[in-house]
mmCIF file with all atom_site columns, all heavy atoms in Angstrom:
data_model
loop_
_atom_site.group_PDB
_atom_site.id
_atom_site.type_symbol
_atom_site.label_atom_id
_atom_site.label_alt_id
_atom_site.label_comp_id
_atom_site.label_asym_id
_atom_site.label_entity_id
_atom_site.label_seq_id
_atom_site.pdbx_PDB_ins_code
_atom_site.Cartn_x
_atom_site.Cartn_y
_atom_site.Cartn_z
_atom_site.occupancy
_atom_site.B_iso_or_equiv
_atom_site.pdbx_formal_charge
_atom_site.auth_seq_id
_atom_site.auth_comp_id
_atom_site.auth_asym_id
_atom_site.auth_atom_id
_atom_site.pdbx_PDB_model_num
ATOM 1  N N   . LEU L 1 264 ? -1.420  26.531 -14.568 1.00 98.00 ? 264 LEU L N   1
ATOM 2  C CA  . LEU L 1 264 ? -1.853  25.314 -15.262 1.00 98.00 ? 264 LEU L CA  1
ATOM 3  C C   . LEU L 1 264 ? -3.077  25.541 -16.144 1.00 98.00 ? 264 LEU L C   1
ATOM 4  O O   . LEU L 1 264 ? -3.676  24.584 -16.641 1.00 98.00 ? 264 LEU L O   1
ATOM 5  C CB  . LEU L 1 264 ? -2.160  24.216 -14.232 1.00 98.00 ? 264 LEU L CB  1
ATOM 6  C CG  . LEU L 1 264 ? -0.995  23.793 -13.333 1.00 98.00 ? 264 LEU L CG  1
ATOM 7  C CD1 . LEU L 1 264 ? -1.471  22.768 -12.300 1.00 98.00 ? 264 LEU L CD1 1
ATOM 8  C CD2 . LEU L 1 264 ? 0.158   23.221 -14.154 1.00 98.00 ? 264 LEU L CD2 1
ATOM 9  N N   . ALA L 1 265 ? -3.412  26.789 -16.375 1.00 98.00 ? 265 ALA L N   1
ATOM 10 C CA  . ALA L 1 265 ? -4.667  27.113 -17.071 1.00 98.00 ? 265 ALA L CA  1
ATOM 11 C C   . ALA L 1 265 ? -4.758  26.518 -18.467 1.00 98.00 ? 265 ALA L C   1
ATOM 12 O O   . ALA L 1 265 ? -5.841  26.121 -18.909 1.00 98.00 ? 265 ALA L O   1
ATOM 13 C CB  . ALA L 1 265 ? -4.839  28.627 -17.132 1.00 98.00 ? 265 ALA L CB  1
ATOM 14 N N   . ASP L 1 266 ? -3.670  26.439 -19.181 1.00 94.00 ? 266 ASP L N   1
ATOM 15 C CA  . ASP L 1 266 ? -3.724  26.010 -20.585 1.00 94.00 ? 266 ASP L CA  1
ATOM 16 C C   . ASP L 1 266 ? -3.055  24.667 -20.818 1.00 94.00 ? 266 ASP L C   1
ATOM 17 O O   . ASP L 1 266 ? -2.585  24.389 -21.925 1.00 94.00 ? 266 ASP L O   1
ATOM 18 C CB  . ASP L 1 266 ? -3.066  27.076 -21.470 1.00 94.00 ? 266 ASP L CB  1
ATOM 19 C CG  . ASP L 1 266 ? -3.772  28.420 -21.366 1.00 94.00 ? 266 ASP L CG  1
ATOM 20 O OD1 . ASP L 1 266 ? -5.015  28.425 -21.370 1.00 94.00 ? 266 ASP L OD1 1
ATOM 21 O OD2 . ASP L 1 266 ? -3.075  29.449 -21.265 1.00 94.00 ? 266 ASP L OD2 1
ATOM 22 N N   . THR L 1 267 ? -3.024  23.826 -19.804 1.00 97.00 ? 267 THR L N   1
ATOM 23 C CA  . THR L 1 267 ? -2.308  22.553 -19.923 1.00 97.00 ? 267 THR L CA  1
ATOM 24 C C   . THR L 1 267 ? -3.177  21.397 -20.396 1.00 97.00 ? 267 THR L C   1
ATOM 25 O O   . THR L 1 267 ? -2.663  20.345 -20.773 1.00 97.00 ? 267 THR L O   1
ATOM 26 C CB  . THR L 1 267 ? -1.697  22.158 -18.567 1.00 97.00 ? 267 THR L CB  1
ATOM 27 O OG1 . THR L 1 267 ? -2.760  22.050 -17.600 1.00 97.00 ? 267 THR L OG1 1
ATOM 28 C CG2 . THR L 1 267 ? -0.678  23.182 -18.108 1.00 97.00 ? 267 THR L CG2 1
ATOM 29 N N   . GLY L 1 268 ? -4.489  21.552 -20.338 1.00 97.00 ? 268 GLY L N   1
ATOM 30 C CA  . GLY L 1 268 ? -5.382  20.440 -20.652 1.00 97.00 ? 268 GLY L CA  1
ATOM 31 C C   . GLY L 1 268 ? -5.792  19.641 -19.439 1.00 97.00 ? 268 GLY L C   1
ATOM 32 O O   . GLY L 1 268 ? -6.620  18.716 -19.550 1.00 97.00 ? 268 GLY L O   1
ATOM 33 N N   . LEU L 1 269 ? -5.239  19.971 -18.275 1.00 98.00 ? 269 LEU L N   1
ATOM 34 C CA  . LEU L 1 269 ? -5.680  19.329 -17.040 1.00 98.00 ? 269 LEU L CA  1
ATOM 35 C C   . LEU L 1 269 ? -7.040  19.877 -16.610 1.00 98.00 ? 269 LEU L C   1
ATOM 36 O O   . LEU L 1 269 ? -7.308  21.071 -16.786 1.00 98.00 ? 269 LEU L O   1
ATOM 37 C CB  . LEU L 1 269 ? -4.677  19.587 -15.917 1.00 98.00 ? 269 LEU L CB  1
ATOM 38 C CG  . LEU L 1 269 ? -3.360  18.828 -15.944 1.00 98.00 ? 269 LEU L CG  1
ATOM 39 C CD1 . LEU L 1 269 ? -2.408  19.428 -14.904 1.00 98.00 ? 269 LEU L CD1 1
ATOM 40 C CD2 . LEU L 1 269 ? -3.578  17.343 -15.665 1.00 98.00 ? 269 LEU L CD2 1
ATOM 41 N N   . GLY L 1 270 ? -7.869  19.031 -16.052 1.00 98.00 ? 270 GLY L N   1
ATOM 42 C CA  . GLY L 1 270 ? -9.098  19.502 -15.439 1.00 98.00 ? 270 GLY L CA  1
ATOM 43 C C   . GLY L 1 270 ? -8.775  20.074 -14.073 1.00 98.00 ? 270 GLY L C   1
ATOM 44 O O   . GLY L 1 270 ? -8.290  19.345 -13.194 1.00 98.00 ? 270 GLY L O   1
ATOM 45 N N   . LEU L 1 271 ? -9.014  21.358 -13.874 1.00 98.00 ? 271 LEU L N   1
ATOM 46 C CA  . LEU L 1 271 ? -8.662  22.028 -12.629 1.00 98.00 ? 271 LEU L CA  1
ATOM 47 C C   . LEU L 1 271 ? -9.869  22.076 -11.683 1.00 98.00 ? 271 LEU L C   1
ATOM 48 O O   . LEU L 1 271 ? -11.009 21.928 -12.118 1.00 98.00 ? 271 LEU L O   1
ATOM 49 C CB  . LEU L 1 271 ? -8.158  23.441 -12.932 1.00 98.00 ? 271 LEU L CB  1
ATOM 50 C CG  . LEU L 1 271 ? -6.961  23.542 -13.883 1.00 98.00 ? 271 LEU L CG  1
ATOM 51 C CD1 . LEU L 1 271 ? -6.509  25.003 -14.013 1.00 98.00 ? 271 LEU L CD1 1
ATOM 52 C CD2 . LEU L 1 271 ? -5.805  22.666 -13.431 1.00 98.00 ? 271 LEU L CD2 1
ATOM 53 N N   . PRO L 1 272 ? -9.638  22.286 -10.399 1.00 98.00 ? 272 PRO L N   1
ATOM 54 C CA  . PRO L 1 272 ? -10.739 22.304 -9.438  1.00 98.00 ? 272 PRO L CA  1
ATOM 55 C C   . PRO L 1 272 ? -11.789 23.365 -9.761  1.00 98.00 ? 272 PRO L C   1
ATOM 56 O O   . PRO L 1 272 ? -11.451 24.470 -10.210 1.00 98.00 ? 272 PRO L O   1
ATOM 57 C CB  . PRO L 1 272 ? -10.047 22.627 -8.107  1.00 98.00 ? 272 PRO L CB  1
ATOM 58 C CG  . PRO L 1 272 ? -8.641  22.200 -8.289  1.00 98.00 ? 272 PRO L CG  1
ATOM 59 C CD  . PRO L 1 272 ? -8.327  22.457 -9.730  1.00 98.00 ? 272 PRO L CD  1
ATOM 60 N N   . VAL L 1 273 ? -13.038 23.022 -9.511  1.00 98.00 ? 273 VAL L N   1
ATOM 61 C CA  . VAL L 1 273 ? -14.161 23.940 -9.679  1.00 98.00 ? 273 VAL L CA  1
ATOM 62 C C   . VAL L 1 273 ? -14.716 24.256 -8.299  1.00 98.00 ? 273 VAL L C   1
ATOM 63 O O   . VAL L 1 273 ? -15.047 23.352 -7.532  1.00 98.00 ? 273 VAL L O   1
ATOM 64 C CB  . VAL L 1 273 ? -15.261 23.320 -10.562 1.00 98.00 ? 273 VAL L CB  1
ATOM 65 C CG1 . VAL L 1 273 ? -16.497 24.212 -10.586 1.00 98.00 ? 273 VAL L CG1 1
ATOM 66 C CG2 . VAL L 1 273 ? -14.736 23.068 -11.971 1.00 98.00 ? 273 VAL L CG2 1
ATOM 67 N N   . CYS L 1 274 ? -14.810 25.527 -7.984  1.00 98.00 ? 274 CYS L N   1
ATOM 68 C CA  . CYS L 1 274 ? -15.397 25.949 -6.713  1.00 98.00 ? 274 CYS L CA  1
ATOM 69 C C   . CYS L 1 274 ? -16.883 26.206 -6.935  1.00 98.00 ? 274 CYS L C   1
ATOM 70 O O   . CYS L 1 274 ? -17.262 27.023 -7.782  1.00 98.00 ? 274 CYS L O   1
ATOM 71 C CB  . CYS L 1 274 ? -14.707 27.203 -6.182  1.00 98.00 ? 274 CYS L CB  1
ATOM 72 S SG  . CYS L 1 274 ? -15.309 27.734 -4.564  1.00 98.00 ? 274 CYS L SG  1
ATOM 73 N N   . ALA L 1 275 ? -17.718 25.502 -6.200  1.00 97.00 ? 275 ALA L N   1
ATOM 74 C CA  . ALA L 1 275 ? -19.167 25.653 -6.358  1.00 97.00 ? 275 ALA L CA  1
ATOM 75 C C   . ALA L 1 275 ? -19.614 27.045 -5.925  1.00 97.00 ? 275 ALA L C   1
ATOM 76 O O   . ALA L 1 275 ? -19.014 27.665 -5.043  1.00 97.00 ? 275 ALA L O   1
ATOM 77 C CB  . ALA L 1 275 ? -19.891 24.603 -5.526  1.00 97.00 ? 275 ALA L CB  1
ATOM 78 N N   . GLU L 1 276 ? -20.669 27.520 -6.560  1.00 95.00 ? 276 GLU L N   1
ATOM 79 C CA  . GLU L 1 276 ? -21.201 28.846 -6.250  1.00 95.00 ? 276 GLU L CA  1
ATOM 80 C C   . GLU L 1 276 ? -21.572 28.944 -4.769  1.00 95.00 ? 276 GLU L C   1
ATOM 81 O O   . GLU L 1 276 ? -22.189 28.044 -4.203  1.00 95.00 ? 276 GLU L O   1
ATOM 82 C CB  . GLU L 1 276 ? -22.432 29.126 -7.113  1.00 95.00 ? 276 GLU L CB  1
ATOM 83 C CG  . GLU L 1 276 ? -22.986 30.527 -6.952  1.00 95.00 ? 276 GLU L CG  1
ATOM 84 C CD  . GLU L 1 276 ? -24.175 30.798 -7.855  1.00 95.00 ? 276 GLU L CD  1
ATOM 85 O OE1 . GLU L 1 276 ? -24.509 29.934 -8.691  1.00 95.00 ? 276 GLU L OE1 1
ATOM 86 O OE2 . GLU L 1 276 ? -24.767 31.894 -7.735  1.00 95.00 ? 276 GLU L OE2 1
ATOM 87 N N   . GLY L 1 277 ? -21.169 30.039 -4.154  1.00 95.00 ? 277 GLY L N   1
ATOM 88 C CA  . GLY L 1 277 ? -21.475 30.251 -2.744  1.00 95.00 ? 277 GLY L CA  1
ATOM 89 C C   . GLY L 1 277 ? -20.468 29.663 -1.788  1.00 95.00 ? 277 GLY L C   1
ATOM 90 O O   . GLY L 1 277 ? -20.589 29.831 -0.572  1.00 95.00 ? 277 GLY L O   1
#
Side-chain angles (χ1 to χ4, degrees):
L264 300 176
D266 300 317
T267 59
L269 286 169
L271 303 184
V273 173
C274 183
E276 185 178 354

